[in-house]
Amino acid sequence: MKLSQEEFLTPFIQKVTDQAHAVSTKATWALTLIAILFASINQTWMVAIAASLVLLLIVLISGWLGKSNGYINSVVFAGFTILFQYQLSGLPASHFFFFVIVTVLLFYENPKVLIPAAIIHVLFEVFLFSQAGKYETLQVFIAESGNNTLEDILLHVAIVALYATLSGVWAVLQHRQTKESAMQAFTFQEQVRLIEINQQFAEYISKGELKAEYPSAEPDALGKSLLTMRTN
């Protein structure tokens, strides 16, 4: 049975998605362990265990229900960046976790998957900038970095947007390469199929079975030559 290009490509794309789900699940476990490590250092046990457990369960339950997708993982990863910012009291190094999670999400080869994480990260930073001075409870998120200026926020947003955009371009290029590899495999399989068909049809002709039907509706150049030979 001949498969269409779309039918042939589907397993390749699904394999990429399944691998991305597996990597994201392992990354979630790793982020959970990092949260516990930070808790042991900064004594943020209650928040770390509660938040990381909820985020971990979201990923695991969605996987068990067969509902895993990059968008859920993107939101979960963004939640971890907020948790780490809390645990590290806004230490500038805490922002590097955003770049880590975006790198993990690249395995999906889908630029749209990066959008939720980037938006949540930016909105939270803007929220802190606008509200930290009004609510004492939010001060823990900026205790080590101090109050950000408007220039700091704009620079931060620009860096996040730039990295997310570059990562999105890379994801598109990688997805294109995956499709090209799949198409090469499809072309090779199609060539093998036509070789087998031509071989079978040539055997019919060699046996004098000139009324034999060509086994394919789309003969290649050799197949057309064999059809002409049969006619003549």
Side-chain angles (χ1 to χ4, degrees):
M1 179 180 176
K2 181 182 177 182
L3 296 176
S4 65
Q5 289 187 6
E6 183 176 352
E7 291 172 330
F8 189 86
L9 286 173
T10 299
F12 283 84
I13 305 302
Q14 187 59 47
K15 183 179 179 180
V16 170
T17 301
D18 292 341
Q19 290 175 339
H21 288 335
V23 171
S24 294
T25 300
K26 293 177 181 177
T28 305
W29 278 106
L31 293 171
T32 301
L33 293 177
I34 292 173
I36 294 174
L37 175 62
F38 287 159
S40 67
I41 298 173
N42 299 325
Q43 302 304 310
T44 53
W45 289 105
M46 185 178 296
V47 173
I49 292 176
S52 61
L53 184 60
V54 168
L55 294 171
L56 178 62
L57 285 176
I58 291 174
V59 172
L60 294 179
I61 291 175
S62 62
W64 293 333
L65 296 177
K67 302 296 183 181
S68 294
N69 67 71
Y71 298 102
I72 291 177
N73 292 333
S74 183
V75 172
V76 167
F77 288 165
F80 272 108
T81 65
I82 295 174
L83 172 60
F84 294 152
Q85 190 169 349
Y86 171 83
Q87 290 185 280
L88 297 177
S89 301
L91 196 69
S94 64
H95 296 298
F96 285 105
F97 282 100
F98 170 78
F99 303 104
V100 173
I101 66 167
V102 168
T103 302
V104 173
L105 292 171
L106 284 175
F107 282 91
Y108 283 98
E109 299 182 3
N110 180 2
K112 295 179 181 179
V113 169
L114 308 176
I115 296 176
I119 289 178
I120 292 173
H121 184 78
V122 168
L123 288 180
F124 185 71
E125 291 302 319
V126 172
F127 172 75
L128 283 181
F129 173 71
S130 62
Q131 302 296 324
K134 301 177 182 179
Y135 302 98
E136 189 67 26
T137 54
L138 295 177
Q139 289 298 316
V140 65
F141 287 97
I142 59 173
E144 292 292 334
S145 61
N147 292 320
N148 290 317
T149 65
L150 178 59
E151 290 77 11
D152 293 331
I153 292 298
L154 292 177
L155 178 60
H156 188 84
V157 170
I159 292 174
V160 167
L162 177 61
Y163 187 74
T165 301
L166 291 175
S167 297
V169 172
W170 188 93
V172 171
L173 293 176
Q174 189 61 34
H175 183 68
R176 189 176 300 167
Q177 290 180 355
T178 299
K179 290 185 67 175
E180 288 175 354
S181 297
M183 287 306 304
Q184 289 176 356
F186 176 80
T187 300
F188 177 76
Q189 180 173 299
E190 183 67 9
Q191 290 174 342
V192 171
R193 186 182 72 88
L194 289 173
I195 289 174
E196 293 174 348
I197 287 175
N198 290 332
Q199 181 181 10
Q200 179 184 1
F201 190 61
E203 289 177 358
Y204 289 150
I205 295 177
S206 65
K207 293 177 183 178
E209 299 179 15
L210 301 181
K211 294 185 179 181
E213 293 291 333
Y214 188 77
S216 175
E218 301 176 357
D220 60 357
L222 179 57
K224 292 178 181 178
S225 296
L226 291 173
L227 286 170
T228 302
M229 182 189 305
R230 183 190 67 175
T231 304
N232 296 336

